[in-house]
């Protein structure tokens, strides 16, 4: 065992590098997939929670909507209001005890992170939707769009852009919070680090390495998301369509000339 | 006289304890240009929004070709696609380009192909003089241009009636002209229009019928000559007097 701090770090990396990398990879995959599915859950819940109820709607529709909204509300409150670590234990061991269903570790990991992120995202999406000028909805309604069409082609694209920073937040939180899954035996970065640290009793060194890896992952994700945001904003400039826009091979005829041919 | 497209019967609207519209009756026939004038807060915009069901009327009925659209079970989106609306604040879709704004409704609501929608959108954008700007986003163009695009967006749905809710009120004076010019052209084309406006000269010029509203009630209605030159109601006289003095 080398005598200096950095020497021991180099030694650990040489010896256990693959373990760290595999742990980091698991953490990253669970966080990305969990955040993605969580976002989808959040979008769906957000859309359903903002469906307007009119007095003219049939009683059946109103009752069904009220029940669905109440269930979704309960889901959001319960999963936001309890620790993910406790949820992981309860769901993982609960499924085995109650339904005799042994979840695979991967399924459990994705399931728990997704459903947790979904609860947070539902509120974020709701915030994103109500932040959009009501005029946008009216404009869409006025040309005959349904609630679903209005949501998918007008409101959501704008809301999604506005909540991108929050999605980034969630992804970063998830990368770090996958460590709670070590309690149900998922060998992500935290679990891997603990094993390495215990093997040679090098806690300080091993967790230094883990910290660096966590930071590199979160920082890279935050920068990538910033790039994505810029891309969503589109270019700041636009080109004038100076050729006749009614011909699809625009560029073949100058606008004025084609006009002249018609006259 | 041809059959009415829209028939408003005893329409009323109450917000809480505030009665905004009282017993409104009027009809719109094909190719009618109806202007609704009156002081702010008289219920003009609310009336227009009720016709498009953006506000739910509290009482009365609105018949569209004889069908009461305030009934339960009426396909409201289908009705709205036939009755277009142009707003004071344009309400262009910020996430679409100028061209996209005019295409998305055709594709989603009328289920037209992309090619067809594009063709129609370009046709109407050229009509309002905005064909050059198809690649621009709403935030990149001026107010007058936005309103012209909004008109093209409504026209692209090829509605039977087009409702204008103070289309020039949010515009700088020099931009008002370009929008009114487009609207004049639509009148010439024979489009059926209901226009809520404060542009008296324009209303007098293009309307076939003028409705004067105050306190949620239609106080007087008639031809532009009747209303502007020989008003009978004292409120109409007083309201129009303010404009004459200017």
């Amino acid at each position: 065992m080398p005598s200096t701090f950095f020497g021991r770090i180099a030694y650990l990396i040489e010896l256990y590098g693959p373990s760290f990398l595999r742990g980091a990879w698991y953490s990253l995959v669970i966080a990305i997939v969990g955040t993605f599915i969580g976002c989808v859950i959040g979008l769906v819940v957000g859309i359903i929670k903002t469906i307007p109820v009119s007095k003219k709607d049939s009683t059946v529709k109103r009752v069904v909507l009220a029940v669905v909204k109440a269930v979704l509300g309960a889901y959001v409150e319960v999963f936001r209001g309890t620790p993910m670590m406790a949820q992981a234990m309860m769901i993982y061991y609960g499924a085995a005890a109650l339904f005799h269903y042994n979840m695979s570790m991967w399924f459990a990991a994705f399931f728990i992170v997704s459903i947790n992120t979904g609860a947070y995202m539902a509120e974020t999406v709701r915030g994103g939707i109500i932040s959009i000028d009501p005029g946008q909805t009216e404009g869409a309604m006025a040309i005959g769009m349904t609630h679903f069409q209005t949501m998918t082609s007008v409101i959501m694209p704008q809301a999604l852009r506005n909540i991108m920073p929050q999605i980034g937040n969630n992804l970063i939180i998830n990368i770090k919070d996958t460590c709670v899954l070590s309690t149900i035996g998922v060998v992500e970065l935290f679990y891997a680090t603990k094993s390495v640290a215990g093997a040679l009793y090098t806690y300080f060194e091993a967790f230094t390495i883990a910290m660096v890896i966590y930071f590199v992952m979160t920082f890279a994700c935050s920068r990538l998301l910033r790039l994505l945001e810029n891309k969503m904003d589109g270019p700041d400039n636009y080109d004038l369509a100076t050729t006749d826009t009614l011909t699809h091979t625009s560029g073949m005829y100058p606008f004025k000339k084609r006009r002249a041919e018609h006259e | 006289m041809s059959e009415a497209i829209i028939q408003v019967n005893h329409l009323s609207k109450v917000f809480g304890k505030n009665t905004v519209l009282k017993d409104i009756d009027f009809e719109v026939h094909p190719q009618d240009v109806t202007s609704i004038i009156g002081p702010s807060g008289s219920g003009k915009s609310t009336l227009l929004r009720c016709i498009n069901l953006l506000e739910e009327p509290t009482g009365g009925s609105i018949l569209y070709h004889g069908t009461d659209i305030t009934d339960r079970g009426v396909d409201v989106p289908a009705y709205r696609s036939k009755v277009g609306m142009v707003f004071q604040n344009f309400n262009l879709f910020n996430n679409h380009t100028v061209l996209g704004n005019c295409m998305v409704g055709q594709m989603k609501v009328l289920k037209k192909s992309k090619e067809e929608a594009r063709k129609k959108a370009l046709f109407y954008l050229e009509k309002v003089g905005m064909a050059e700007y198809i690649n621009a986003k709403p935030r990149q163009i001026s107010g007058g241009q936005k309103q012209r695009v909004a008109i093209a967006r409504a026209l692209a749905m090829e509605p039977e009636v087009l409702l204008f809710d103070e289309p020039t009120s949010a515009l700088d004076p020099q931009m008002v002209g370009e929008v009114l010019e487009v609207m004049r052209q639509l009148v010439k084309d024979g489009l059926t229009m209901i226009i809520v406006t404060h542009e008296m000269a324009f209303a007098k010029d293009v309307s076939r019928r003028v409705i004067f509203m105050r306190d949620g009630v239609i106080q007087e209605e008639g031809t532009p000559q009747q209303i502007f030159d020989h008003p009978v109601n004292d409120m109409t006289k007083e309201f129009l007097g303010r404009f004459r003095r200017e």
Side-chain angles (χ1 to χ4, degrees):
Chain A
M1 179 87 81
S3 55
T4 62
F5 174 68
F6 290 108
R8 282 194 297 274
I9 284 186
Y11 180 70
L12 281 184
I13 290 174
E14 198 191 321
L15 209 58
Y16 297 112
S19 303
F20 279 115
L21 282 182
R22 196 170 56 227
W25 171 244
Y26 283 5
S27 285
L28 197 62
V29 169
I30 293 168
I32 289 175
V33 173
T35 308
F36 181 78
I37 300 176
C39 283
V40 174
I41 296 175
L43 285 176
V44 173
V45 175
I47 290 183
I48 295 175
K49 283 187 101 176
T50 53
I51 292 178
V53 186
S54 145
K55 278 186 219 126
K56 269 174 26 185
D57 288 331
S58 67
T59 328
V60 179
K61 187 181 164 192
R62 278 158 72 186
V63 169
V64 168
L65 259 182
V67 170
V68 171
K69 281 184 186 178
V71 169
L72 293 178
Y75 154 67
V76 169
E77 294 302 340
V78 168
F79 280 87
R80 252 190 348 172
T82 53
M84 187 156 94
M85 202 173 198
Q87 291 164 19
M89 300 287 261
M90 201 196 83
I91 292 173
Y92 187 64
Y93 294 110
L98 277 181
F99 307 111
H100 304 288
Y101 172 59
N102 284 313
M103 286 184 182
S104 81
M105 221 129 65
W106 281 104
F107 178 81
F110 289 140
F111 183 77
I112 289 155
V113 175
S114 305
I115 207 156
N116 212 279
T117 312
Y120 281 96
M121 283 305 299
E123 284 299 284
T124 306
V125 168
R126 204 170 60 84
I129 290 172
I130 57 180
S131 75
I132 304 297
D133 173 19
Q136 297 284 308
T137 311
E138 290 188 352
M141 294 285 187
I143 56 173
M145 286 194 192
T146 59
H147 177 73
F148 184 73
Q149 287 168 338
T150 305
M151 278 296 157
T152 51
S153 38
V154 178
I155 306 300
M156 275 303 168
Q158 294 180 55
L160 211 54
R161 166 63 191 91
N162 288 354
I163 63 173
M164 274 309 279
Q166 190 55 33
I167 292 179
N169 257 351
N170 264 319
L171 178 58
I172 285 168
I173 289 172
N174 280 343
I175 291 174
K176 298 181 297 171
D177 280 5
T178 46
C179 69
V180 308
L181 297 173
S182 61
T183 54
I184 57 168
V186 179
V187 191
E188 40 62 66
L189 184 52
F190 182 81
Y191 196 115
T193 310
K194 232 170 86 175
S195 315
V196 170
L200 296 171
Y201 213 67
T202 48
Y203 280 86
F204 186 28
E205 294 79 1
F207 278 100
T208 305
I209 295 171
M211 293 274 277
V212 171
I213 297 176
Y214 274 124
F215 183 76
V216 168
M217 290 196 295
T218 54
F219 190 70
C221 283
S222 101
R223 291 293 117 170
L224 281 174
L225 283 167
R226 191 64 58 82
L227 275 180
L228 185 64
E229 276 182 42
N230 288 339
K231 212 180 155 211
M232 283 170 91
D233 284 340
D236 281 335
N237 302 312
Y238 61 91
D239 295 323
L240 284 182
T242 44
T243 48
D244 186 349
T245 43
L246 286 176
T247 55
H248 287 279
T249 51
S250 65
M252 279 183 72
Y253 304 101
F255 187 37
K256 293 235 166 64
K257 199 170 147 199
R258 189 166 174 274
R259 261 272 169 85
E261 280 170 13
H262 276 276
E263 282 158 12
Chain B
M1 209 168 187
S2 53
E3 191 217 343
I5 303 177
I6 291 179
Q7 227 178 326
V8 177
N9 296 323
H10 307 296
L11 186 77
S12 66
K13 174 70 186 173
V14 179
F15 287 113
K17 283 182 181 166
N18 193 5
T19 306
V20 183
L21 295 175
K22 268 176 269 180
D23 202 20
I24 302 283
D25 277 295
F26 75 97
E27 285 183 5
V28 177
H29 293 269
Q31 306 203 339
D32 264 1
V33 177
T34 310
S35 292
I36 306 176
I37 58 170
S40 296
S42 57
K44 311 182 298 285
S45 290
T46 308
L47 172 57
L48 212 58
R49 290 167 62 82
C50 279
I51 295 177
N52 206 347
L53 293 181
L54 287 175
E55 302 288 351
E56 229 173 284
T58 320
S61 62
I62 300 170
L63 303 183
Y64 170 71
H65 289 298
T67 314
D68 188 355
I69 47 131
T70 60
D71 271 349
R72 271 188 181 198
V74 170
D75 186 352
V76 176
Y79 163 74
R80 287 199 183 115
S81 72
K82 292 278 170 202
V83 179
M85 180 127 174
V86 174
F87 299 86
Q88 184 175 354
N89 296 319
F90 331 123
N91 293 346
L92 289 180
F93 306 140
N94 294 326
N95 59 320
H96 289 281
T97 60
V98 164
L99 183 63
N101 264 281
C102 300
M103 285 172 65
V104 65
Q106 296 185 65
M107 285 159 62
K108 301 280 169 186
V109 180
L110 304 179
K111 312 284 177 208
K112 284 191 179 159
S113 72
K114 203 173 168 183
E115 286 303 298
E116 248 182 301
R118 189 185 149 90
K119 238 182 189 160
K120 197 134 275 172
L122 288 171
F123 175 78
Y124 286 107
L125 279 169
E126 188 154 339
K127 204 174 179 78
V128 300
M130 287 298 293
E132 275 189 340
Y133 296 89
I134 49 171
N135 298 320
K137 285 277 179 76
R139 64 183 146 94
Q140 295 163 324
I141 58 180
S142 73
Q145 292 175 327
K146 279 185 205 172
Q147 195 59 297
R148 285 189 280 152
V149 173
I151 292 174
R153 175 177 73 181
L155 288 173
M157 302 297 289
E158 310 208 304
E160 266 190 271
V161 184
L162 200 47
L163 314 175
F164 290 85
D165 186 8
E166 304 196 23
T168 57
S169 296
L171 297 177
D172 289 341
Q174 74 259 36
M175 291 175 184
V176 171
E178 66 186 58
V179 172
L180 293 185
E181 199 40 57
V182 167
M183 289 170 68
R184 262 177 229 277
Q185 189 56 49
L186 299 180
V187 174
K188 260 186 220 153
D189 294 348
L191 185 72
T192 314
M193 294 154 69
I194 306 177
I195 308 167
V196 168
T197 185
H198 289 294
E199 299 287 330
M200 294 304 148
F202 174 76
K204 185 176 176 182
D205 219 26
V206 303
S207 313
R208 238 182 76 174
R209 206 155 43 106
V210 178
I211 293 175
F212 172 72
M213 278 182 74
R214 198 181 142 161
D215 303 330
V217 177
I218 294 182
Q219 305 287 357
E220 190 170 358
E221 64 171 301
T223 64
Q225 286 73 32
Q226 280 170 348
I227 299 288
F228 287 101
D229 298 336
H230 311 288
V232 184
N233 188 303
D234 285 340
M235 288 183 194
T236 320
K237 281 182 198 165
E238 189 212 329
F239 177 72
L240 289 172
R242 271 182 241 154
F243 284 92
R244 279 211 194 91
R245 255 177 269 136
E246 278 166 16

